[in-house]
Amino acid sequence: MAQQALLSPEAVIEEFNKNGVTHVVYLPDSETNWMYQLMQADHTLDLIPVSREGESIAIAAGLIAGGKKPVVLIQNTGMLESGDSIRGIAKDCQMPVVMLVGYRGWTRHGPTPDSAARYTEPTLRAWEVPYYLIEHDEDASRITAAFDDAARSSGPVAVLVGDEYHGFNR
């Protein structure tokens, strides 16, 4: 039986490093624990925890204004909470920010009872925020595509993470 391909935190952090990410603005949670451990060990990344995901865009905007290159790591519920900041700061002030959004409740296997999943993509389309979906290491290069889009458009771009990050035994 073939082993299912997974999204590893190493692949994601490799993409961060390729794109010169200096800061990770994030809300700590149990799903990103493997990722957190590796980010903490990577001395090129400064970690900025927030108490509410609605703060993340404003903090990222301040970092961008200061010449840094942040990435925002939030869940889709937090993205919905951040709507006014996405609109008023990232869109209206033309901030090229990439958001990695945990796609809680998403399933490729049919309907989901989770309203956060059902509203994620329609909301991004309504806000005119381009987005990519990643689930496996083979998809990780879409993070670079998102950074390219954000720079080209001077606006926010989302990367929907359809699978939680998996740690591997070394």
Side-chain angles (χ1 to χ4, degrees):
M1 178 178 232
Q3 184 176 2
Q4 179 185 5
L6 303 172
L7 180 61
S8 69
E10 293 90 348
V12 174
I13 292 171
E14 182 179 326
E15 291 297 315
F16 289 174
N17 289 329
K18 281 183 195 174
N19 287 283
V21 170
T22 59
H23 293 77
V24 179
V25 182
Y26 74 104
L27 183 67
D29 66 32
S30 60
E31 287 185 12
T32 58
N33 185 50
W34 291 111
M35 178 93 147
Y36 173 77
Q37 291 176 13
L38 289 175
M39 290 187 306
Q40 198 173 33
D42 186 326
H43 299 294
T44 66
L45 298 173
D46 287 326
L47 305 180
I48 311 242
V50 296
S51 58
R52 293 198 53 93
E53 288 157 310
E55 303 170 337
S56 61
I57 298 298
I59 291 170
L63 290 164
I64 292 167
K68 303 301 181 184
K69 191 168 186 179
V71 66
V72 171
L73 214 63
I74 57 178
Q75 281 194 339
N76 52 355
T77 52
M79 181 203 75
L80 295 169
E81 177 194 344
S82 302
D84 193 45
S85 293
I86 292 169
R87 177 206 53 80
I89 298 172
K91 293 284 290 179
D92 290 355
C93 295
Q94 299 179 324
M95 292 287 171
V97 64
V98 172
M99 304 174 288
L100 261 71
V101 180
Y103 206 165
R104 190 193 91 196
W106 180 80
T107 174
R108 78 186 77 73
H109 303 292
T112 177
D114 190 322
S115 62
R118 289 194 315 270
Y119 293 128
T120 298
E121 290 183 65
T123 299
L124 288 168
R125 285 192 297 273
W127 292 339
E128 299 177 339
V129 172
Y131 62 91
Y132 296 86
L133 174 66
I134 62 173
E135 294 182 278
H136 312 289
D137 284 355
E138 295 77 27
D139 304 330
S141 64
R142 295 176 187 164
I143 295 169
T144 291
F147 276 103
D148 292 344
D149 280 357
R152 189 173 31 259
S153 68
S154 293
V157 176
V159 176
L160 302 177
V161 182
D163 188 24
E164 68 182 56
Y165 308 104
H166 296 271
F168 297 103
N169 294 328
R170 291 178 186 49

